Amino acid sequence: MATTQRAATATAATATDWLTPHELHTLELVCDALIPALAPPPSETDAAGLYARKASDLGIATAIAETLSEQSGESRAQFKQLLGVFDKPLFGALLDGRPRRFTRLDAAGREAALRTMAVARVSALRQGFEVVKRLATFAFYSAPDPDGGDNPNWPALGYRPPPAPPTPEEAPKRIKTVPVAADLTLSADAVIVGSGAGGGMIAAELTAAGKDVVILEKGGYYSESDFTGREADAMPELYLRRGLLSTSDVGIVMLAGSCLGGGTLVNWSTSLRTPPDVLQEWERDHGLSGATAAEYARGFEVAERRLRVNTDDSAPNRNNAALQRGCEALGYSWKTIPRNASGCEQRCGACGFGCPYARKQSTLLTFLQDAHDSGARFVVRCTVERVLHEAGRAVGVEGWAPDDATGERRKVIVRAPVVVVAAGAIESPALLLRSGLTNPNIGKHLRLHPVTAVMGLYDEPIETWHGSLQTVLSDQFARLSGGYGFRIEVMPTHPGLYGLATPWSGALRHKQDMARVRHAASFIVLVRDTGEGHISLDKQGDPIPHYWPNATDRRHLVEGAQECARIAFAGGARAVVTTHKPRLALEAGSGGGSSGQVTHKQIDAFADEIAHRGIVLNKSILGTAHQMGTCRLGGSPKSAVADPTGQVYGTRGLYIGDGSGFPTASGVNPMLSIMGLAHAVAQQIKARS
């Protein structure tokens, strides 16, 4: 897998041509205002290199242009429009009514303008700020230096990258894919679009039953020797839209796997069954008959057995231990998370970038391998454009894949009487919409498990990027309103992600926060959302997610952030920082407390301020790695896309087999929930064909 720097070397001239030299210069000015060269504070002279380094020293503007060159034409046009605003008097007029160009300001004026833009009343300005800020800070703290070596900021952060992966000779690829050297026309008993938790399970079930199966995957095929554990390598190759996917208003950062193995290749190994009360809700309120039956539960059993789900290898790293310690101090419930990994030995902590040790049992190593060994065929880097259907019956799919040698688009057609759509809750509805299906529920009812983060800062190093990433959770607040509330987990914060998520209220403050990343624990609030969004298509037919949490879910996000602050301080944190803009933090010794601790009165006041700030679009960053519900299964075509067996209403032989089929949010990390649903759908397909 090539790094961003290496991949760009041969094509840098063309990868930035979509921007004019003047636009590229404008972008460079913005990036250098976000990340300028500064004198280090007296207490941080050991990080002098970090403070003295500016964005242009690492070619960040060029790196952003190269990254965006692979996005849609519509996305690039919007970015060019944003850069144009910076170069017009309109920029200043929108900020404070005084017309002035950003590009004509001095360095201090540009930084001041960005501080105003970050919290501007005009939502579009906050959105534009977030777009550039996230791209610039992620690249500055993750990308290699111009010569291809380690990011020069890492030593100041205390970050040590994982060891090199095995060589291709030590870890050869075990799945043979269909070569693409001309247009392809294949025939099969079933074609599956997508290879993640759902597609992998269904592929294994159908091939074990003797079916001839073709699996089409939008992403590439990567395995152990490709997994360097570095953000700049992994995000462009393993994630949908190179890791740049977000909601239409940029309010929520969205992570979705896009590679052979899908989300199971890049998730953090958390393996939780759908809670019984959620299954009861699905059956009772949405007509998903059989969801509470023993036959449905067999899907969980099959998945857990094949994925080797266990708690024996769930020792907490320091990040998880901080959550456990805080919960115990407050008397909050907590539990050990079952994981589909063993023998990790806390060796790395790069689960989100693929497991180089083959310890995490993704579908790549399990169900997809089983399907391959039973004769399934795989086409990777295949974009499926439409489902082929005639007289109310699916007859196959049509799309394209790049020629292995030239990169030229080659048509791919697979004829099959069974089509399984398992491309994820973003791409699955887009495929059905492009195919001309008219059920009004297609793309509706999007659930995301919206997440906010709170960082606790400790005297001792935490190093969230080291060790098993998620092994502890608290469900103390999971059922605040019936079956809805939030769970508290932790997340790894590698330098790029931490830079992206850390609020920017000025260049010096952001670098100071970054310099403390080694001592930060990252708690996340995972809300089981009561609200919903939808998917639409852009002019090119690509999906656009639209979503913002409703009042109930925003209240749960606020309450979760408040509880995370209490947990962090109860577990020994000296400071807590939220993701709000302007920066919101409480540190030991501030506001009248002693130098060694915060008082209960201070914590209560801090919680009140969290509530006062609330959750405002692009004033507090939200994220999600769980997309669900856009092609949901249910008892009626008036409220669902597919019937309880997974077959799409009105189109025989067309099935939904992924998280898009959930009637509501699962409430827990959804890998096993997807596999349970997919296993049930597979049994129906086998019974009918």
Side-chain angles (χ1 to χ4, degrees):
M1 188 190 310
T3 64
T4 302
Q5 184 71 33
R6 291 197 299 270
T9 300
T11 60
T14 56
T16 61
D17 278 353
W18 65 280
L19 291 179
T20 68
H22 185 74
E23 288 169 335
L24 192 60
H25 176 64
T26 298
L27 179 56
E28 186 172 274
L29 290 177
V30 176
C31 291
D32 275 350
L34 286 165
I35 312 169
L38 300 165
S43 61
E44 298 186 43
T45 54
D46 56 339
L50 167 64
Y51 286 92
R53 195 171 294 114
K54 61 184 182 296
S56 55
D57 292 334
L58 296 184
I60 298 305
T62 298
I64 291 173
E66 291 166 354
T67 297
L68 294 179
S69 70
E70 298 187 22
Q71 301 299 304
S72 70
E74 193 168 327
S75 296
R76 294 197 304 274
Q78 290 171 351
F79 192 78
K80 286 170 72 74
Q81 186 177 32
L82 171 63
L83 293 178
V85 171
F86 279 103
D87 198 37
K88 289 182 171 62
L90 173 67
F91 174 79
L94 289 171
L95 288 181
D96 55 19
R98 293 185 297 136
R100 63 198 187 282
R101 291 178 170 87
F102 177 89
T103 52
R104 300 287 178 85
L105 300 174
D106 61 15
R110 289 195 291 269
E111 182 179 346
L114 289 181
R115 286 199 300 269
T116 303
M117 186 179 181
V119 293
R121 291 184 178 181
V122 179
S123 177
L125 285 176
R126 298 198 306 272
Q127 178 178 327
F129 171 85
E130 281 298 315
V131 168
V132 182
K133 179 262 182 180
R134 294 175 195 176
L135 289 166
T137 52
F138 178 85
F140 186 74
Y141 290 104
S142 68
D145 69 20
D147 296 322
D150 286 350
N151 184 291
N153 298 308
W154 289 347
L157 308 183
Y159 177 72
R160 299 183 304 277
T167 66
E169 291 73 28
E170 294 169 327
K173 287 180 166 59
R174 293 175 289 274
I175 290 177
K176 183 179 180 181
T177 61
V178 176
V180 179
D183 291 347
L184 288 176
T185 299
L186 306 173
S187 296
D189 296 325
V191 58
I192 301 172
V193 182
S195 64
M201 168 66 84
I202 293 175
E205 286 291 308
L206 296 188
T207 54
K211 306 295 184 184
D212 179 19
V213 175
V214 171
I215 298 103
L216 305 178
E217 168 56 49
K218 184 180 181 72
Y221 175 22
Y222 306 100
S223 62
E224 290 81 10
S225 63
D226 301 306
F227 301 145
T228 66
R230 296 167 184 256
E231 292 172 283
D233 292 354
M235 297 303 287
E237 304 289 1
L238 303 181
Y239 286 85
L240 189 59
R241 296 192 193 171
R242 299 175 61 87
L244 300 181
L245 181 66
S246 69
T247 50
S248 58
D249 52 21
V250 196
I252 302 180
V253 175
M254 306 176 75
L255 294 178
S258 183
C259 53
L260 197 60
T264 72
L265 195 79
V266 296
N267 68 13
W268 301 337
S269 303
T270 296
S271 303
L272 299 166
R273 291 191 180 193
T274 318
D277 59 331
V278 175
L279 293 174
Q280 291 166 9
E281 179 187 342
W282 288 0
E283 187 167 67
R284 180 189 65 245
D285 298 342
H286 297 278
L288 185 54
S289 55
T292 62
E295 290 81 2
Y296 195 99
R298 288 198 186 97
F300 299 137
E301 296 165 4
V302 169
E304 289 167 343
R305 183 169 58 252
R306 185 65 182 94
L307 272 57
R308 306 178 196 172
V309 173
N310 70 94
T311 56
D312 298 333
D313 200 72
S314 293
N317 66 358
R318 288 190 288 266
N319 199 23
N320 286 276
L323 172 58
Q324 178 180 331
R325 190 167 61 243
C327 286
E328 289 176 343
L330 294 174
Y332 291 171
S333 63
W334 67 272
K335 62 179 63 175
T336 299
I337 296 175
R339 302 169 59 246
N340 64 319
S342 59
C344 295
E345 301 170 5
Q346 308 283 357
R347 280 181 283 186
C348 58
C351 308
F353 312 134
C355 179
Y357 303 109
R359 297 293 88 201
K360 179 170 65 175
Q361 299 303 295
S362 66
T363 58
L364 184 68
L365 300 183
T366 56
F367 293 121
L368 294 177
Q369 187 68 56
D370 295 344
H372 173 270
D373 295 345
S374 295
R377 291 167 286 169
F378 295 78
V379 182
V380 297
R381 300 192 184 281
C382 180
T383 297
V384 179
E385 295 183 327
R386 62 188 59 84
V387 175
L388 304 175
H389 50 98
E390 300 170 359
R393 170 172 286 281
V395 296
V397 298
E398 179 180 278
W400 63 272
D403 188 290
D404 295 335
T406 68
E408 179 184 355
R409 285 192 179 193
R410 302 294 190 182
K411 183 178 290 188
V412 176
I413 296 175
V414 182
R415 302 284 183 185
V418 171
V419 175
V420 179
V421 176
I426 304 301
E427 293 288 349
S428 286
L431 174 56
L432 297 187
L433 290 170
R434 290 194 301 267
S435 302
L437 275 67
T438 58
N439 184 309
N441 291 291
I442 297 172
K444 301 299 193 296
H445 315 299
L446 172 66
R447 306 295 177 99
L448 291 184
H449 284 167
V451 165
T452 190
V454 172
M455 283 69 77
L457 296 165
Y458 296 77
D459 286 332
E460 68 276 11
I462 299 295
E463 297 180 336
T464 65
W465 53 76
H466 184 75
S468 300
L469 301 184
Q470 274 189 345
T471 62
V472 172
L473 68 79
S474 174
D475 58 4
Q476 176 78 25
F477 306 97
R479 292 170 178 83
L480 296 176
S481 306
Y484 291 82
F486 60 87
R487 288 171 169 82
I488 297 175
E489 300 174 348
V490 301
M491 66 177 288
T493 46
H494 295 76
L497 179 59
Y498 198 75
L500 179 155
T502 297
W504 190 96
S505 296
L508 177 60
R509 181 70 263 177
H510 193 270
K511 285 194 176 184
Q512 287 176 308
D513 284 338
M514 290 302 301
R516 302 167 74 181
V517 62
R518 187 176 180 228
H519 293 263
S522 295
F523 305 99
I524 59 173
V525 181
L526 189 152
V527 171
R528 185 181 181 220
D529 33 344
T530 62
E532 57 186 35
H534 70 279
I535 301 293
S536 67
L537 299 182
D538 66 13
K539 295 176 182 177
Q540 286 76 42
D542 291 324
I544 305 173
H546 305 266
Y547 183 101
W548 185 247
N550 66 12
T552 297
D553 300 333
R554 294 197 303 273
R555 184 176 73 250
H556 288 164
L557 285 164
V558 166
E559 292 172 1
Q562 293 170 322
E563 293 301 338
C564 285
R566 294 188 177 100
I567 288 169
F569 283 123
R574 292 183 57 81
V576 164
V577 183
T578 73
T579 62
H580 290 90
K581 295 181 301 181
R583 183 176 185 268
L584 178 58
L586 175 61
E587 305 208 20
S590 64
S594 68
S595 61
Q597 61 183 7
V598 297
T599 66
H600 290 298
K601 183 177 180 180
Q602 284 177 292
I603 295 173
D604 289 343
F606 185 63
D608 288 344
E609 182 59 21
I610 291 174
H612 175 70
R613 296 282 191 94
I615 302 296
V616 178
L617 179 64
N618 286 318
K619 280 193 175 182
S620 56
I621 191 170
L622 300 181
T624 177
H626 305 162
Q627 299 92 38
M628 303 159 283
T630 50
C631 300
R632 64 184 183 180
L633 277 57
S636 168
K638 295 180 179 179
S639 59
V641 173
D643 67 24
T645 71
Q647 186 167 235
V648 172
Y649 283 110
T651 309
R652 298 186 306 279
L654 178 59
Y655 292 85
I656 300 299
D658 60 12
S660 72
F662 292 1
T664 68
S666 60
V668 296
N669 306 57
M671 180 177 69
L672 282 189
S673 296
I674 295 171
M675 290 182 172
L677 181 144
H679 184 270
V681 171
Q683 308 320 303
Q684 297 296 329
I685 295 173
K686 288 190 291 185
R688 291 173 174 171
S689 59

